Amino acid sequence: SGPITISGQNGVVIKNMSITSVRGNCITVKHSKNITVESSQIGPCGTAGGSTLGNGIEISDSSGVHIYGNYIHPETHTSTCCDYHDGIYGSGGNRDIVIQGNVIAYGESNIEFDHRNSSITVKGNFLLNPRGPFPRGQNFQCWGNRPDTPCSGITVENNYALSSQNTSRYRYAADQEDSINFGFTDGAVAKDNYIEGGRSPSGCGLIADEAANNIKFVANKLLNTGQCGIGIADGTNQLVDRNEVYNSTPVPKGGNTAIYTWKQYRYPCGPTIVSNNVADEVRSGGRHSGFFRGGHCGDTLPGNKFGRAADRGVPPPRTGVPGHP
């Protein structure tokens, strides 16, 4: 099929299709509800090098959209930002969106929601090699447009998020900023994810960014995510608990620490609980940095193992995702 547009509809199912487009988005869903996209191959989408839209699936002002078991790969790329070539792009007003069991690869960001979106569940996906350009390049990001219109009710759970430079195995190398990022968000949980790879001097595996409040990072495993494993850069009532972080790939001009708390914006930061984590980053020259306190985020640190003491509990590398190539 060529591109598909669903507008003002209720109860549409797209299943067992191969969808591509050279004119724009592969699938557009707007002002609709109870839409299912399932077991389909979606991509490539748009034109390479162009600044016309070419998202895999674009959702706006819709509810009850379920995206199950697809391979979504826009593949096209441009130096122009933003949101021309995302795997899944949700603009303002969406709610009750479930993205589960997909392979989503080679997007500007693989999953991107901006402005006011609520009740978003991203579960059990393989998220591979976002391509940017900066400030995009996330495997997942939800970013409201201001504190009174945040993203809210976000769950990112049991995903494998990989950033790789191995072009003998994958079609395109990653140009990742952060793997999983929340900004202008009120209420999000990222738990039980396996996050691997990254080399941005300003990016992290997981980050609570500008005005991201009530964020919980729980029981995630992070391996070689570059200059930072988990970052708390802003926001109130943050919890970083039972995560395992090991980075042995320091990045030139990066902070190069496993976990940090450091107020970097004008909004309130703290209280922050960093508890029961096992975390280390081996910097160039063999120095260890399990935790960095930049200040002004009201952090408490019970029950952690940081630095060299953490190395026996680091997450093992993965070689793939069961059921996925």
Side-chain angles (χ1 to χ4, degrees):
S1 172
I4 294 173
T5 297
I6 299 168
S7 180
Q9 298 190 51
N10 184 356
V12 174
V13 176
I14 297 172
K15 186 174 182 179
N16 296 328
M17 296 189 70
S18 180
I19 302 163
T20 190
S21 171
V22 295
R23 306 196 296 273
N25 301 326
C26 280
I27 298 176
T28 302
V29 179
K30 55 186 179 181
H31 308 295
S32 296
K33 58 185 179 180
N34 302 319
I35 306 300
T36 299
V37 181
E38 184 176 1
S39 303
S40 295
Q41 183 161 190
I42 300 164
C45 309
T47 57
S51 58
T52 56
L53 290 177
N55 297 306
I57 302 175
E58 181 169 325
I59 311 165
S60 61
D61 298 307
S62 296
S63 63
V65 178
H66 295 163
I67 301 170
Y68 296 145
N70 305 281
Y71 176 33
I72 303 170
H73 52 114
E75 297 190 30
T76 49
H77 188 251
T78 178
S79 60
T80 302
C81 183
C82 295
D83 304 316
Y84 292 106
H85 304 297
D86 294 329
I88 297 173
Y89 172 55
S91 57
N94 297 299
R95 65 185 188 279
D96 300 325
I97 310 297
V98 179
I99 301 166
Q100 184 168 344
N102 305 277
V103 177
I104 308 175
Y106 313 130
E108 179 182 341
S109 285
N110 281 324
I111 302 174
E112 176 75 30
F113 283 88
D114 69 6
H115 297 88
R116 189 172 200 165
N117 295 275
S118 61
S119 299
I120 310 296
T121 299
V122 177
K123 185 174 183 179
N125 302 280
F126 180 26
L127 307 176
L128 172 67
N129 288 8
R131 301 178 68 197
F134 179 88
R136 293 299 187 256
Q138 279 75 20
N139 273 309
F140 172 86
Q141 182 177 62
C142 200
W143 193 285
N145 58 335
R146 56 180 190 263
D148 61 342
T149 53
C151 291
S152 61
I154 312 301
T155 300
V156 182
E157 179 180 4
N158 282 317
N159 301 283
Y160 181 22
L162 175 63
S163 172
S164 173
Q165 301 302 307
N166 185 351
T167 53
S168 65
R169 183 167 189 180
Y170 303 112
R171 183 170 296 173
Y172 302 103
D175 186 7
Q176 178 179 286
E177 177 58 17
D178 305 297
S179 188
I180 297 175
N181 175 295
F182 301 96
F184 290 97
T185 297
D186 189 0
V189 177
K191 65 178 181 179
D192 294 317
N193 299 287
Y194 194 101
I195 303 166
E196 182 177 357
R199 60 179 188 172
S200 168
S202 55
C204 295
L206 282 165
I207 186 166
D209 218 315
E210 185 173 7
N213 303 312
N214 300 298
I215 308 299
K216 296 180 180 180
F217 296 148
V218 179
N220 300 283
K221 291 179 170 59
L222 295 91
L223 178 67
N224 292 337
T225 55
Q227 73 96 30
C228 167
I230 298 175
I232 302 296
D234 203 15
T236 59
N237 300 314
Q238 317 291 46
L239 175 66
V240 180
D241 184 60
R242 290 180 288 119
N243 301 281
E244 300 173 22
V245 184
Y246 184 71
N247 284 350
S248 61
T249 53
V251 176
K253 300 182 180 180
N256 295 318
T257 191
I259 298 175
Y260 78 76
T261 60
W262 185 13
K263 176 178 168 61
Q264 298 181 47
Y265 299 96
R266 62 189 177 93
Y267 300 101
C269 191
T272 302
I273 298 173
V274 179
S275 56
N276 307 307
N277 301 283
V278 178
D280 188 22
E281 173 130 1
V282 183
R283 295 180 170 184
S284 56
R287 294 174 297 160
H288 292 253
S289 179
F291 177 76
F292 174 75
R293 175 182 279 142
H296 308 292
C297 281
D299 49 69
T300 56
L301 307 172
N304 300 285
K305 290 183 180 180
F306 290 142
R308 194 183 299 272
D311 288 0
R312 291 186 178 181
V314 300
R318 294 186 68 161
T319 57
V321 176
H324 293 316

